[in-house]
């Protein structure tokens, strides 16, 4: 699971201006290695940031251009976020589910139910790291005490979070972390290693006749993961590349990070599976993270718990 063997994440929309044009006097633009037709140099295209103020433009025009450039930079920064800024949860629902199909109706009712508990939502980048990203962002941004594995001094990427006690401070730190692709993807590889380590412990316990959670029996009952080695080769190594976490692996993730993962599975609205908890019977001292799943592949994050009112 070395970082070097992983394909690098692709660039997000909102990247900066293209390569700057040549500025040397008399330098002719090239097309396919040849000078442009007619042999005459064309005016080089310039990025908005390169425009110079001059006497031929009035102050209002210059100010509008500055405001546009600032807006474009803000959009570019936002596009690099793996977890988008929060928005009203029902506004998000109306934007995403406008039709009257059976599925859209189910999603709307599901979001209405979630909105009784949370007021906002943060959309998570929907790649094959989605489940890891949503879970870890929630776990690390909460003001609750971090589990011991995150407080290891050697884990310099996020050990400082243990000193942050307020939700605001944690939120800012997590936003910065999840904008840094190198640190973010290193975090996912570390979590995959923890999942493997936990799977080995569960496998050994079962082999030695000890009682193990039922999900671990299912985990190793698959033809593709009869033992931890197969689990690594056929499943964990693929997470983030060709596939995400399967449902049984969500249990393993919960055990690895020592957090209860509560998921609103909107496609299961009005069934017993609408709110699914991983693991089913978690230790009482585990913190809880809450996610929203529309299809068991893509997870978003509900935020801002509604304030309870009393008559």
């Amino acid at each position: 699971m070395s970082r070097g063997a992983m394909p690098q994440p692709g660039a997000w929309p909102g990247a900066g201006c293209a390569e700057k044009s040549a500025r040397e006097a008399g330098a002719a633009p090239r097309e396919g290695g040849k000078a442009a037709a007619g042999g005459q140099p064309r005016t080089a295209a310039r990025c908005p940031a390169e425009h110079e103020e001059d006497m031929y433009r009035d102050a209002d025009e210059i100010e509008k251009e500055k405001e546009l450039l600032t807006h474009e930079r803000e959009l570019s920064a936002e596009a690099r976020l793996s977890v988008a800024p929060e928005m009203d949860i029902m506004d998000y629902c109306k934007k995403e589910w406008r039709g009257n199909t059976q599925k859209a109706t189910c999603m709307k009712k599901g979001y209405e139910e979630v909105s009784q508990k949370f007021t906002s939502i943060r959309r998570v980048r929907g790649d094959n790291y989605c489940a890891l990203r949503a879970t870890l962002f929630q776990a690390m941004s909460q003001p609750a005490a971090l589990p011991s594995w995150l407080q290891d001094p050697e884990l310099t990427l996020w050990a400082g979070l243990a000193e942050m006690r307020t939700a605001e401070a944690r939120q800012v730190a997590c936003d910065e972390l999840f904008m840094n692709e190198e640190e973010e993807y290193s975090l996912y590889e570390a979590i995959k290693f923890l999942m493997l380590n936990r799977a080995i412990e569960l496998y050994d316990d079962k082999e030695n006749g000890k009682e193990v959670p039922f999900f671990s029996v299912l985990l190793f009952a698959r033809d593709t993961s009869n033992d931890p080695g197969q689990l690594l080769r056929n499943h964990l190594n693929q997470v983030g590349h060709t596939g995400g976490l399967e449902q049984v692996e969500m249990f393993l993730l919960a055990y690895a990070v020592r957090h209860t993962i509560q998921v609103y599975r909107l496609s299961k609205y009005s069934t017993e599976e609408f709110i699914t908890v991983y693991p089913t019977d978690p230790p009482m001292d585990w913190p809880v993270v809450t996610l929203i799943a529309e299809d068991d592949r893509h997870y978003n994050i509900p935020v801002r718990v509604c304030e309870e009112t009393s008559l």
Side-chain angles (χ1 to χ4, degrees):
M1 293 189 292
S2 64
R3 168 79 178 150
M6 295 176 56
Q8 297 302 309
W12 271 52
C17 189
E19 294 183 0
K20 297 180 180 179
S21 303
R23 298 183 181 179
E24 291 80 1
R30 302 177 68 85
E31 297 179 349
K34 297 181 180 180
Q40 297 298 322
R42 290 184 285 178
T43 302
R46 308 181 77 178
C47 297
E50 295 174 1
H51 283 306
E52 298 175 357
E53 299 180 15
D54 57 52
M55 67 181 67
Y56 300 105
R57 295 190 295 153
D58 59 32
D60 288 343
E61 183 180 355
I62 294 172
E63 190 61 30
K64 288 180 180 179
E65 184 175 288
K66 288 181 178 178
E67 291 177 358
L68 178 61
L69 180 58
T70 299
H71 180 63
E72 289 176 346
R73 286 172 175 169
E74 290 174 350
L75 290 177
S76 177
E78 181 176 317
R80 292 195 301 272
L81 271 174
S82 290
V83 181
E86 68 180 73
M87 67 180 296
D88 181 87
I89 196 166
M90 291 312 299
D91 286 347
Y92 174 85
C93 174
K94 292 174 184 177
K95 178 183 176 182
E96 296 295 319
W97 300 98
R98 301 178 181 177
N100 294 316
T101 63
Q102 183 176 357
K103 183 175 182 180
T105 300
C106 178
M107 292 294 135
K108 292 174 185 176
K109 290 182 178 179
Y111 273 114
E112 287 175 359
E113 184 73 19
V114 179
S115 70
Q116 302 302 309
K117 182 69 174 178
F118 298 91
T119 64
S120 303
I121 188 172
R122 297 191 67 168
R123 186 165 189 169
V124 176
R125 186 188 295 182
D127 58 17
N128 287 323
Y129 279 120
C130 189
L132 290 178
R133 179 178 291 112
T135 300
L136 295 176
F137 188 93
Q138 280 286 66
M140 296 169 70
S141 62
Q142 291 182 352
L146 293 176
S148 58
W149 62 269
L150 269 179
Q151 299 183 44
D152 188 328
E154 295 184 2
L155 302 178
T156 57
L157 295 180
W158 52 91
L161 289 173
E163 304 301 324
M164 300 178 183
R165 299 303 180 190
T166 67
E168 292 76 12
R170 287 271 184 94
Q171 202 71 64
V172 171
C174 285
D175 282 342
E176 292 178 356
L177 171 60
F178 283 77
M179 284 182 65
N180 185 318
E181 289 184 336
E182 181 177 356
E183 292 187 355
E184 178 188 351
Y185 285 77
S186 294
L187 172 61
Y188 301 148
E189 289 304 292
I191 297 305
K192 287 161 66 175
F193 177 80
L194 287 175
M195 292 174 68
L196 174 63
N197 185 62
R198 191 61 174 136
I200 292 173
E201 292 176 354
L202 292 169
Y203 182 83
D204 288 345
D205 285 347
K206 183 177 180 298
E207 290 295 296
N208 292 327
K210 296 182 180 180
E211 184 177 353
V212 295
F214 183 65
F215 87 86
S216 67
V217 176
L218 299 177
L219 187 69
F220 294 115
R222 300 180 297 182
D223 292 338
T224 54
S225 61
N226 286 325
D227 56 50
Q230 286 192 346
L231 174 67
L232 172 63
R233 290 190 299 272
N234 300 327
H235 294 273
L236 293 181
N237 273 348
Q238 310 309 318
V239 174
H241 303 272
T242 59
L245 291 182
E246 298 181 12
Q247 287 295 297
V248 69
E249 291 157 359
M250 290 293 290
F251 288 93
L252 181 61
L253 173 61
Y255 267 80
V257 300
R258 297 186 178 93
H259 275 66
T260 302
I261 304 174
Q262 175 182 263
V263 181
Y264 285 93
R265 301 171 69 190
L266 302 188
S267 62
K268 305 292 185 180
Y269 178 74
S270 76
T271 73
E272 293 182 352
E273 297 177 276
F274 176 57
I275 299 179
T276 300
V277 179
Y278 309 92
T280 307
D281 188 20
M284 294 295 293
D285 60 340
W286 281 10
V288 179
V289 298
T290 304
L291 311 178
I292 298 174
E294 294 182 347
D295 57 10
D296 288 342
R297 293 188 301 275
H298 183 211
Y299 296 84
N300 288 321
I301 298 172
V303 293
R304 296 197 182 277
V305 177
C306 297
E307 294 183 5
E308 295 184 1
T309 58
S310 59
L311 297 176

